[in-house]
Amino acid sequence: MRMAKITKAIIPVAGYGTRFLPTTKAQPKEMLNIVDKPVIQYIVEEAVASGITDIILVTGSGKRAVEDHFDHNLELYNWLKKQKKENTLEELKKIAEMANFIYIRQKGPYGNGTPVLNAQKIIGNEPFAVLWGDDVFYGGKKPRLKQLIEAYEKYGDPVLTACRVEKEATSRYGIIDAIKVEENIYQVKKIVEKPGPQKAPSTLASVGGYILTPDIFEVLSKTKIGKGGELWLADAMSSLLKQRPFYACEVDAKYYDVGSKIGWLTANVDLALTRADLKDEFKKFLKSI
């Protein structure tokens, strides 16, 4: 039986972005810039570079700016044409055309399991990716998601994104208890939520972003509301883990939690230093302080 190709990615973007208030009071957190591109564009570009053709954005109230960003703006195009800014015009057109964008309004209980469940009819009986709107991965020989897809194609089971963290950081992440099966691939036994250095089974953290199989939907629909009165995707994944193997791919990429202020600031500094048009002047500024 031929394995279904992964062409669809769900990106939940309905959250409030409370860690960035008051900025996110009227602006979606996904539209915060890293240098001169919004966070959500980096995530979509990673997906497209990994072979994804259908981007399913699960939105909520106040997220219109995300939809507008991935749409054509004829008035702006005409103005850029008059100003003879053809390069900028072509760059903006590509943003709207790089994937098939599908928008769903999130409905159901609060929590990160709900947007996945909302996309069930669009996903159908296919494996798919879930990417979070505040996780940016940069560098590496291949995009992070491409690495997960290749692991799925080899093993045929759900795959988690994994990164090494310092022992002290094990109190901030779900830590993977797993058996190594090859260089950067592990078969997951369980995930211990924020155990801390004394109880952590490893320093391999599950940092978000998955390849999931369609059997997650039935499990998720039966998952009880959990911590904080929310429906958690992790709870459903833990249940599914008892029924089938899960794998973790230790990815070759640098991870930025841009949902935190320090992660967002770090991403801006690091990515600015990769830019030919910025790095020399920016390095001079950094040395001066």
Side-chain angles (χ1 to χ4, degrees), residues 10-279:
I10 300 169
I11 309 177
V13 293
Y16 292 125
T18 53
R19 288 188 286 179
F20 274 92
L21 286 170
T23 295
T24 48
K25 181 175 180 285
Q27 175 187 356
K29 65 175 181 176
E30 297 82 10
M31 292 302 294
L32 291 172
N33 271 14
I34 299 177
V35 188
D36 56 4
K37 280 196 299 194
V39 169
I40 190 66
Q41 186 175 331
Y42 285 92
I43 296 162
V44 169
E45 286 175 345
E46 179 202 352
V48 171
S50 302
I52 298 296
T53 56
D54 295 321
I55 301 289
I56 304 161
L57 291 157
V58 186
T59 71
S61 176
K63 299 290 181 168
R64 178 65 188 268
V66 175
E67 297 182 30
D68 286 346
H69 183 71
F70 293 107
D71 197 2
H72 289 294
N73 184 331
L74 297 181
E75 188 177 342
L76 176 59
Y77 292 172
N78 288 333
W79 185 83
L80 290 170
K81 196 170 183 179
K82 286 178 183 176
Q83 298 297 315
K84 302 188 185 305
K85 296 187 176 183
E86 297 293 340
N87 289 341
T88 304
L89 174 58
E90 290 307 311
E91 186 180 339
L92 294 186
K93 283 182 178 178
K94 285 177 184 177
I95 293 171
E97 295 167 357
M98 62 180 161
N100 175 37
F101 292 97
I102 302 161
Y103 300 96
I104 306 173
R105 272 294 184 115
Q106 180 166 319
K107 294 177 182 176
Y110 196 72
N112 62 19
T114 297
V116 176
L117 205 50
N118 288 163
Q120 181 176 2
K121 287 184 179 179
I122 296 171
I123 297 296
N125 196 35
E126 300 175 25
F128 61 97
V130 176
L131 304 174
W132 303 125
D134 48 15
D135 287 342
V136 170
F137 290 82
Y138 191 82
K141 294 177 182 177
K142 299 175 184 176
R144 177 275 309 249
L145 181 57
K146 182 66 173 174
Q147 296 173 52
L148 300 192
I149 290 172
E150 289 180 352
Y152 171 79
E153 289 172 346
K154 186 170 185 177
Y155 293 97
D157 290 296
V159 183
L160 317 179
T161 302
C163 290
R164 290 285 169 187
V165 296
E166 298 293 330
K167 280 189 176 182
E168 293 70 26
T170 56
S171 60
R172 301 201 303 270
Y173 297 97
I175 302 299
I176 299 168
D177 185 0
I179 301 165
K180 190 172 186 177
V181 294
E182 60 174 287
E183 182 58 32
N184 65 323
I185 306 294
Y186 301 79
Q187 186 170 344
V188 179
K189 292 195 288 184
K190 62 181 178 179
I191 299 174
V192 184
E193 197 60 37
K194 300 179 181 178
Q198 303 304 318
K199 296 181 180 179
S202 72
T203 55
L204 197 62
S206 175
V207 293
Y210 319 104
I211 300 298
L212 294 176
T213 45
D215 47 356
I216 191 67
F217 293 121
E218 184 179 355
V219 177
L220 193 52
S221 67
K222 295 176 181 176
T223 299
K224 293 180 180 178
I225 300 300
K227 184 181 175 184
E230 298 184 25
L231 179 62
W232 293 98
L233 180 59
D235 290 346
M237 289 167 61
S238 294
S239 297
L240 189 58
L241 180 57
K242 296 171 185 174
Q243 302 172 31
R244 67 178 301 165
F246 269 62
Y247 291 86
C249 176
E250 186 177 353
V251 295
D252 173 28
K254 185 164 183 180
Y255 164 59
Y256 300 95
D257 173 12
V258 296
S260 72
K261 293 183 182 74
I262 194 68
W264 177 77
L265 288 167
T266 303
N268 270 279
V269 172
D270 282 359
L271 269 64
L273 290 171
T274 69
R275 291 272 297 261
D277 59 331
L278 295 173
K279 64 181 181 181

